[in-house]
């Protein structure tokens, strides 16, 4: 017959096993700094947008991860993650300068950046950026576009005026203060539908030749000791989403407004 002491010891051992089991299964919280760029990412959208949806589900596929998004102005999101305050920042196009501070994930989205213009001020066929030297081009501060674009702007070979937000550039376009504004097709029409009256939206169109067709990535800080493992697990999750056809399905949802609340 077991003594009370033996029963108590067995109870303690069972309790410890249960506690360690719970601890072993505890979720790892991944903190991601991001900004507003509808319909790809936004605090107001379902799943916080397509890209945030992909990131959350990729981490779920990879293991016991919980993702938390913190929304900031883009520059602050970038700089805070660079310092290691956050595990990663979402989402960014490729730039050689960023490779010094960040590790790039597998792509989480793809979009063509084109030149929007008024129908009353058409953009004729162009082959190289210097063909646009006679145009006033709007650009949003902090965006990548291409290195050539910014180099030509800095040298004065392109007349580029910057604004702090995409909607401000569209307002300048409608007011004929700029001739062209480069933006992704999906994000561009999403913003027009959200922020502008239908009476003016029909006045704008875009030239089909893209400035760039870019892939967006989750960037992991080189100043965070967990980055290598998080990157490995995240990429594994993205590949699984691809193999299951979920990325294609979710992109179709995106194009029909499925991420609107």
């Amino acid at each position: 017959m077991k003594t009370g002491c033996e029963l108590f010891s067995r109870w303690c051992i069972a309790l410890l096993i249960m506690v360690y089991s719970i601890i072993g299964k505890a979720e790892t919280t991944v903190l991601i700094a991001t900004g507003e760029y509808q319909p790809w990412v936004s605090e107001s959208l379902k799943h916080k947008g397509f890209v945030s949806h992909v990131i959350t589900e990729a981490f779920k596929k990879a293991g016991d991860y919980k993702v938390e998004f913190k929304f900031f102005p883009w520059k602050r999101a970038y700089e805070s993650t660079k310092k290691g305050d956050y595990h990663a920042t979402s989402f960014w196009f490729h730039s050689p300068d960023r490779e010094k501070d960040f590790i790039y994930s597998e792509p989480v989205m793809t979009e063509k950046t084109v030149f929007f213009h008024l129908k009353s001020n058409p953009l004729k066929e162009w082959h190289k950026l210097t063909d646009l030297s006679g145009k006033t081009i709007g650009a949003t501060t902090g965006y990548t576009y291409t290195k050539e674009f910014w180099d030509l702007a800095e040298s004065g070979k392109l007349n580029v005026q910057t604004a702090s937000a995409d909607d401000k550039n569209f307002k300048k376009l409608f007011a004929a203060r700029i001739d062209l504004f480069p933006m992704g097709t999906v994000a561009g029409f999403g913003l027009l539908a959200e922020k502008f009256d239908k009476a003016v939206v029909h006045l704008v169109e875009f030239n089909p030749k893209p400035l760039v067709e870019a892939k967006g990535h989750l960037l992991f800080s080189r100043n965070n000791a967990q980055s290598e493992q998080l990157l490995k697990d995240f990429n594994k999750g993205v590949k699984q989403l691809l193999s299951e056809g979920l990325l294609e399905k979710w992109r179709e949802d995106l194009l029909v407004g499925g991420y609107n609340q």
Side-chain angles (χ1 to χ4, degrees):
M1 184 175 180
K2 294 182 177 62
T3 67
C5 185
E6 287 176 317
L7 290 172
F8 180 74
S9 295
R10 287 175 178 269
W11 179 82
C12 287
I13 290 170
L15 180 62
L16 284 171
I17 291 172
M18 182 177 68
V19 169
Y20 283 124
S21 175
I22 292 171
I23 292 173
K25 293 181 179 179
E27 291 179 323
T28 298
T29 299
V30 182
L31 298 176
I32 297 177
T34 187
E36 290 279 336
Y37 192 63
Q38 293 202 26
W40 297 107
V41 285
S42 176
E43 203 164 12
S44 65
L45 293 177
K46 183 180 178 181
H47 301 299
K48 294 183 171 58
F50 172 88
V51 169
S52 303
H53 189 195
V54 171
I55 292 169
T56 300
E57 294 303 318
F59 271 117
K60 282 184 182 178
K61 293 285 185 183
D64 294 315
Y65 288 109
K66 175 185 176 183
V67 178
E68 290 185 9
F69 294 95
K70 304 294 182 180
F71 283 80
F72 302 105
W74 284 104
K75 185 175 181 179
R76 182 179 169 191
Y78 183 90
E79 293 297 333
S80 297
T81 308
K82 179 179 172 179
K83 290 189 296 183
D85 294 343
Y86 297 90
H87 294 104
T89 179
S90 164
F91 65 101
W92 299 85
F93 299 134
H94 185 267
S95 169
D97 293 341
R98 296 186 182 130
E99 291 183 347
K100 295 179 293 185
D101 303 301
F102 293 97
I103 314 169
Y104 282 75
S105 75
E106 289 289 321
V108 293
M109 56 79 72
T110 303
E111 186 171 32
K112 292 181 180 180
T113 296
V114 297
F115 286 105
F116 284 84
H117 60 85
L118 294 178
K119 293 178 181 178
S120 59
N121 184 19
L123 173 60
K124 296 179 181 179
E125 185 177 355
W126 66 280
H127 302 282
K128 54 186 184 299
L129 279 173
T130 50
D131 293 340
L132 309 177
S133 59
K135 301 286 188 179
T136 301
I137 305 172
T140 302
T141 306
Y143 284 11
T144 308
Y145 301 118
T146 68
K147 184 177 185 300
E148 182 189 12
F149 177 85
W150 287 116
D151 285 347
L152 289 172
E154 188 175 348
S155 68
K157 293 179 181 178
L158 283 182
N159 181 13
V160 175
Q161 297 182 4
T162 59
S164 60
D166 294 322
D167 60 329
K168 292 181 180 180
N169 271 310
F170 270 123
K171 288 176 182 177
K172 290 170 72 174
L173 185 67
F174 286 123
R177 292 169 55 196
I178 58 175
D179 300 306
L180 305 172
F181 173 47
M183 192 172 179
T185 52
V186 174
F189 281 113
L191 180 63
L192 286 167
E194 179 201 5
K195 297 274 189 177
F196 295 88
D197 192 281
K198 291 180 180 179
V200 297
V201 170
H202 80 279
L203 300 176
V204 72
E205 62 184 5
F206 66 87
N207 184 280
K209 178 178 172 59
L211 167 64
V212 63
E213 183 170 4
K215 299 179 185 297
H217 304 263
L218 184 60
L219 301 190
F220 291 86
S221 172
R222 294 190 185 274
N223 290 321
N224 192 306
Q226 296 175 275
S227 288
E228 291 285 354
Q229 186 61 51
L230 289 173
L231 173 71
K232 180 180 177 181
D233 290 344
F234 177 73
N235 284 344
K236 178 182 176 182
V238 171
K239 289 175 182 177
Q240 190 169 343
L241 293 176
L242 274 168
S243 67
E244 294 176 9
L246 290 172
L247 293 189
E248 183 178 350
K249 176 183 180 301
W250 294 341
R251 185 177 174 88
E252 290 174 358
D253 291 344
L254 170 75
L255 296 176
V256 297
Y259 284 87
N260 296 330
Q261 291 282 23

